[in-house]
Amino acid sequence: MRITVTAITVALAFSVEGWMPTSAEALGDTEAQNCAVAIAGSVNTSQISNVCGVPPEVLAAIVNEFSEARKAYQDTNKTLQELADERRQTVDNVRQALDLTNGQIRAAFEILGETNVPSEQLAGKLVEIATKFKDLQSIAAAQPGDTAEIISLKGRAEAATKAGELDKADALLAEIDNKQALAQDKLATNRAATLANRGDLALGRLRYPDAAKHFANAANTVPKGEAYSELRREYLRQEASAWYHQGDEYGDNSAAETAVARERRLLDITPRSELPLDWATTQNDLGASLFALAEREGDTAHLEEAVVAYRAALEERTRERVPFDWAQTQSNLGIASWAIGEHSGGTDRLEEAVVAFRAALEVQTRERAPFAWAQTQNNLSVVLRSLGARESGTANLEQAVAASRAALQEWTRERTPLDWARAEDNLALTYWVLGERENDAVRLKEAISAFNEVLGEWTPERVPIRWGAAQSSLGNALRALGQVDDNAASLEAAVSAYRAALQELTRERAPFDWATTQNNLGSALLSLSNHEAGTSRLDEAITAFNASLEEWTREREPLRWAMARFNIANALVALGRRQQDMAHVEEAIPIFREVLEEWTRERVPLDWARAQTGLGGALAIFDAHGNGTALLQEAIAAYQSASEEATRERAPFEWALAQAALGDALWMYAKRTKGPESLERGKAALEAWRNSQLVFTREHQPERWANTQNSIGYGLVIIGEWENDGARFAEAVPVLRQALAVQQKLQATMSVAFTSDSLCRALLDIGDRSKDRSLLLEARQLCEDSVNARKGAGADIAETDANLAAIAAALKALP
């Protein structure tokens, strides 16, 4: 019968002397492949079927004899060998029945004797042992890939097995296993190296995700075990580096996050106690990956994590131990500190960055490490520019220019075009800041030229994120030039540059840069709105500013949030003036106040001054047609505060704007009061206007200068009337004629009309006093020209009509 409970199924061939079948059955393998016996957990002779022609009773007899032999072994002190000699016939019967050698049958006796197999299981175990011995006869068979040494060892193992020397056979098989394992490890290591070579090839083609995949596969192919742990870590390090480059160069946030995850994994398998310098290298690389991710997302939390990682690296990467690695990490720490300083305001973090870079340069000299020296010089220029933008004067900005030029001595366009572009980009950015600081069109044109050169290397196909950043920077320089020259063409070019940048600097790929470019686009549109009669550009500007606030939240980016809100308030003021709707101006006032909560004098003094000027402007405009003085007094105080921080030496352009606006507010205040106070404020207005012309000169800002000349000339006329002083009228005439000449040359129609009206009044006062007909006739012509031009624009002409009436009366009174 066949038992189907849990059992072991084996193939077995019997050839028992005395019951022998044909010789072919005894020696051949054909029947052995088809013989089987199923043995249950508790088997007795009645349950064993006829196996390969051996009747159950014969097998039972063999098992019985074996049991007797084992019992004798257990009951005496004789060895199994001695028992086997005494029961030679029994041993021979078992050997022949199970087709075993003498050595194997002795081994079987030892195995079954030593393991104390229950008697009822002897038959099954005997069959099982015999089958295994039969299987071992094939161990010497050569296999594909076996070396001559392996084949020799297999032959020796087979001989030992046939001799029943199982310990020796096992030792030989273990030796074979070790040699095959070594061969397998070598093969796996070679394959891992091939995969890594594919990764290097992909890196050379800038296919970073493919490279990362190959390096990861290489790490997984490396054999297990401590002997290969360093090689595995190296491939994992290369995988992380590939993801880092994909995130950094292509704005791939997912890749940047993967790089961080891979670096953290490397830290887990790089014990600091055993591999302190490798651990420090991984900390340094983790810092770089965190920085790249923070740069994409504008996240200061990642930046702070990067600083922690760099400082941890420096605990092992000491200057004494590994000076160049120490310097590299110092430079990286400087970059992260700079980025935090950019987000947080103030100068503490920026000054920390300068210290870190200068420390790195003590080791990274141009002679010893020219490339690293150039890189750190470039980084130093970035921080010095940021410091210069927040401090008085231009000393740090000029040092930034020097640092960029130093970097360019080693990063040449021929040798390292992408690095050359990085240094050239930083130099251009510093030119831009200097141009805005000094209201200098020459510097701004230098910046524009440099940015265009950079874009020749940073192409959208090669480095799309950097190309987008350079386009955005080009827009900044064009916008600043358009504001300096009051040139609509430059402003239009700036808008085009920003829109081009946004094709690559998408919110998904580079949210922080996207928000920055949206804000800058809004600024260009706001400036461009001065060259249109409608409000479409203002509406577009407000839309762009609001878009930037989707990423620049007050919680995450308080300073930049304040910048966008400040710009929105300015746009609302401009919209209110354009539409003669004071509701927009009124809406802007609390926004300016809110901005000042973040742009404090302590954190960002120049921005604070800028916001004070904006608030003063909104208050003055809102109260322009009122009768009280409370809002005007607040506006005057705001302008004066701004001028205290944004001084002529520190921020000449901002100072001049505040002075011009202060003059306007003081004049309005003077006109609403009477007596000595009115005259005093009027004179103060003249002083403020003249101060602004120290920066807004006739050569650099002709239209602005001419408009201020008109204000000064008109103020002199009115003060002369208040004081009944004809000298004031005489002083006003050349001032107004100079303004008119410039405005006519610029073809500024409305400005000409207003200045003509002012000059009309000055000539009226002089002509009326001197009874000079020619002056009165000239005055009449000027007033008539002014009225005709201003009527079409809807301007108030009541005062001009009164002047014309006075001229007519004066002419009539002449003889």
Side-chain angles (χ1 to χ4, degrees):
M1 64 181 292
R2 184 170 295 278
I3 310 299
T4 57
V5 298
T6 302
I8 302 173
T9 304
V10 295
L12 179 65
F14 283 94
S15 175
V16 182
E17 187 177 355
W19 307 283
M20 290 188 66
T22 64
S23 58
E25 292 173 334
L27 302 176
D29 292 330
T30 304
E31 244 189 297
Q33 293 173 357
N34 297 309
C35 299
V37 59
I39 304 174
S42 57
V43 180
N44 54 43
T45 55
S46 65
Q47 292 175 299
I48 302 177
S49 61
N50 187 301
V51 180
C52 296
V54 180
E57 60 273 15
V58 175
L59 184 60
I62 292 172
V63 169
N64 184 64
E65 180 62 24
F66 189 88
S67 298
E68 290 298 322
R70 190 175 69 164
K71 186 174 184 299
Y73 164 70
Q74 292 171 336
D75 293 342
T76 67
N77 292 325
K78 294 182 179 181
T79 66
L80 282 174
Q81 178 63 47
E82 292 171 333
L83 287 172
D85 290 340
E86 290 179 2
R87 297 173 176 274
R88 185 173 301 280
Q89 186 61 47
T90 299
V91 170
D92 195 45
N93 288 342
V94 173
R95 178 184 62 75
Q96 292 185 48
L98 301 182
D99 194 18
L100 302 175
T101 66
N102 287 333
Q104 289 171 334
I105 197 64
R106 282 196 301 271
F109 268 91
E110 290 177 358
I111 292 168
L112 291 171
E114 290 173 356
T115 55
N116 199 28
V117 176
S119 298
E120 65 271 16
Q121 294 182 12
L122 281 174
K125 289 299 179 184
L126 189 59
V127 170
E128 184 178 341
I129 291 168
T131 302
K132 294 302 180 186
F133 284 162
K134 291 290 290 182
D135 290 343
L136 288 173
Q137 291 178 8
S138 64
I139 70 171
Q143 295 174 308
D146 276 355
T147 64
E149 184 182 21
I150 294 295
I151 292 172
S152 174
L153 287 169
K154 283 185 174 181
R156 291 169 59 193
E158 179 190 22
T161 302
K162 287 181 178 180
E165 298 172 343
L166 302 187
D167 288 341
K168 181 179 180 180
D170 183 62
L172 288 164
L173 289 173
E175 187 175 356
I176 292 169
D177 176 60
N178 289 335
K179 292 184 179 297
Q180 287 177 328
L182 287 173
Q184 185 179 20
D185 285 354
K186 184 175 182 180
L187 184 62
T189 303
N190 290 344
R191 184 184 172 220
T194 301
L195 288 167
N197 289 338
R198 292 190 70 189
D200 288 330
L201 182 62
L203 286 179
R205 302 172 74 183
L206 305 183
R207 297 179 178 179
Y208 298 120
D210 289 345
K213 178 188 70 175
H214 294 316
F215 288 129
N217 288 339
N220 290 332
T221 303
V222 169
K224 306 299 182 186
E226 186 60 30
Y228 300 96
S229 60
E230 176 52 36
L231 184 59
R232 187 179 303 107
R233 281 194 294 269
E234 178 56 29
Y235 290 147
L236 290 173
R237 188 173 293 114
Q238 290 177 286
E239 180 204 2
S241 177
W243 285 123
Y244 163 80
H245 284 290
Q246 175 67 16
D248 182 50
E249 296 179 22
Y250 289 90
D252 187 337
N253 284 10
S254 176
E257 290 171 355
T258 302
V260 170
R262 294 296 184 270
E263 298 294 353
R264 293 196 193 282
R265 175 188 173 192
L266 270 168
L267 276 178
D268 290 339
I269 60 174
T270 308
R272 181 178 181 178
S273 57
E274 299 172 24
L275 301 164
L277 292 181
D278 287 349
W279 177 85
T281 297
T282 305
Q283 287 283 9
N284 179 76
D285 294 348
L286 172 61
S289 296
L290 286 163
F291 178 85
L293 184 59
E295 198 174 25
R296 297 277 76 79
E297 298 180 345
D299 184 358
T300 54
H302 286 317
L303 289 174
E304 293 288 1
E305 287 183 274
V307 167
V308 170
Y310 290 137
R311 293 196 187 283
L314 288 169
E315 293 174 10
E316 297 292 345
R317 280 186 163 186
T318 63
R319 184 171 181 175
E320 296 72 26
R321 193 178 193 179
V322 280
F324 284 98
D325 290 339
W326 171 84
Q328 179 196 55
T329 303
Q330 283 284 359
S331 185
N332 291 342
L333 176 61
I335 295 170
S337 297
W338 160 78
I340 294 171
E342 282 288 283
H343 288 274
S344 62
T347 60
D348 290 349
R349 290 287 198 159
L350 299 178
E351 289 166 354
E352 286 177 21
V354 170
V355 169
F357 289 135
R358 295 203 188 282
L361 287 169
E362 293 175 8
V363 172
Q364 294 171 336
T365 64
R366 187 177 180 185
E367 294 71 27
R368 297 169 68 188
F371 187 86
W373 174 83
Q375 180 168 310
T376 304
Q377 287 284 3
N378 181 68
N379 293 339
L380 178 60
S381 75
V382 174
V383 182
L384 289 168
R385 183 177 63 249
S386 295
L387 266 176
R390 296 183 185 181
E391 295 179 339
S392 61
T394 60
N396 279 319
L397 294 173
E398 295 296 349
Q399 287 183 49
V401 169
S404 289
R405 286 178 175 159
L408 287 166
Q409 294 175 30
E410 290 294 335
W411 279 357
T412 65
R413 191 168 190 174
E414 295 71 30
R415 283 189 294 175
T416 55
L418 292 180
D419 290 322
W420 170 87
R422 183 181 290 113
E424 188 75 6
D425 181 67
N426 274 328
L427 179 60
L429 285 167
T430 307
Y431 283 153
W432 163 60
V433 175
L434 277 167
E436 283 208 312
R437 171 71 57 84
E438 300 176 334
N439 202 32
D440 187 344
V442 174
R443 289 284 204 183
L444 293 172
K445 288 174 181 176
E446 286 182 301
I448 291 167
S449 177
F451 284 130
N452 280 318
E453 288 293 314
V454 169
L455 288 166
E457 295 295 340
W458 282 357
T459 64
E461 298 77 22
R462 196 175 188 183
V463 281
I465 294 300
R466 291 183 186 175
W467 176 85
Q471 281 284 357
S472 186
S473 296
L474 174 61
N476 288 341
L478 287 164
R479 173 179 54 81
L481 182 63
Q483 290 169 340
V484 168
D485 292 344
D486 200 22
N487 187 326
S490 294
L491 294 170
E492 289 284 7
V495 169
S496 296
Y498 291 134
R499 294 199 192 282
L502 288 169
Q503 294 174 17
E504 295 295 342
L505 301 179
T506 64
R507 186 177 181 187
E508 295 70 30
R509 296 172 68 187
F512 182 81
D513 292 339
W514 171 83
T516 301
T517 305
Q518 287 284 2
N519 176 77
N520 296 346
L521 171 62
S523 294
L525 290 165
L526 180 56
S527 295
L528 197 55
S529 70
N530 294 326
H531 296 269
E532 69 169 5
T535 61
S536 60
R537 295 293 194 180
L538 285 170
D539 293 335
E540 288 181 76
I542 291 172
T543 298
F545 293 138
N546 279 318
S548 69
L549 287 170
E550 294 175 22
E551 290 294 333
W552 285 358
T553 64
R554 189 169 188 176
E555 296 69 31
R556 291 170 53 192
E557 294 288 340
L559 296 181
R560 285 170 174 78
W561 170 87
M563 180 188 294
R565 292 287 287 167
F566 171 76
N567 289 335
I568 288 171
N570 280 330
L572 287 169
V573 170
L575 191 62
R577 296 182 69 178
R578 186 69 51 81
Q579 296 179 334
Q580 293 296 304
D581 184 355
M582 289 301 102
H584 292 306
V585 179
E586 187 176 17
E587 183 183 353
I589 291 172
I591 296 177
F592 282 123
R593 297 193 195 282
E594 199 175 38
V595 166
L596 285 164
E597 294 175 6
E598 296 295 344
W599 277 2
T600 64
R601 190 169 187 174
E602 295 70 30
R603 294 174 73 187
V604 281
L606 291 181
D607 289 333
W608 173 83
R610 192 173 294 118
Q612 287 285 2
T613 300
L615 174 61
L619 290 167
I621 292 168
F622 185 66
D623 196 35
H625 303 290
N627 295 315
T629 60
L631 293 181
L632 275 176
Q633 288 181 55
E634 188 178 353
I636 290 168
Y639 293 137
Q640 290 171 334
S641 295
S643 298
E644 291 171 5
E645 197 63 55
T647 62
R648 181 184 173 189
E649 297 71 28
R650 187 177 189 184
F653 187 83
E654 300 289 345
W655 174 80
L657 283 177
Q659 286 294 310
L662 174 61
D664 293 340
L666 285 167
W667 185 254
M668 289 172 60
Y669 194 9
K671 289 176 68 176
R672 292 189 187 177
T673 55
K674 295 180 180 180
E677 287 186 1
S678 178
L679 186 60
E680 182 183 341
R681 293 188 182 103
K683 291 178 179 179
L686 293 177
E687 182 183 0
W689 285 326
R690 285 176 175 139
N691 282 341
S692 73
Q693 287 185 315
L694 296 173
V695 175
F696 298 148
T697 64
R698 183 172 184 172
E699 294 73 27
H700 293 101
Q701 291 276 330
E703 185 170 5
R704 196 189 295 268
W705 174 87
N707 291 340
T708 305
Q709 281 285 91
N710 174 54
S711 297
I712 293 170
Y714 181 76
L716 287 167
V717 171
I718 300 303
I719 290 174
E721 292 176 357
W722 290 346
E723 292 181 319
N724 193 24
D725 184 355
R728 295 288 191 180
F729 306 143
E731 184 183 355
V733 170
V735 170
L736 293 168
R737 289 196 188 281
Q738 290 170 353
L740 195 59
V742 171
Q743 291 165 342
Q744 288 170 338
K745 184 177 180 180
L746 295 172
Q747 298 181 342
T749 305
M750 290 305 297
S751 296
V752 167
F754 282 107
T755 303
S756 294
D757 187 62
S758 299
L759 182 55
C760 165
R761 185 154 180 173
L763 294 174
L764 166 60
D765 285 336
I766 296 173
D768 188 33
R769 281 172 176 257
S770 63
K771 309 302 180 182
D772 188 328
R773 182 181 297 275
S774 63
L775 291 179
L776 291 171
L777 290 174
E778 184 184 359
R780 184 175 67 183
Q781 186 61 55
L782 287 165
C783 276
E784 287 175 350
D785 291 343
S786 174
V787 165
N788 293 334
R790 290 156 59 205
K791 273 184 178 178
D796 184 3
I797 59 173
E799 189 173 316
T800 309
D801 285 339
N803 289 338
L804 283 169
I807 292 170
L811 286 170
K812 186 176 180 181
L814 291 177

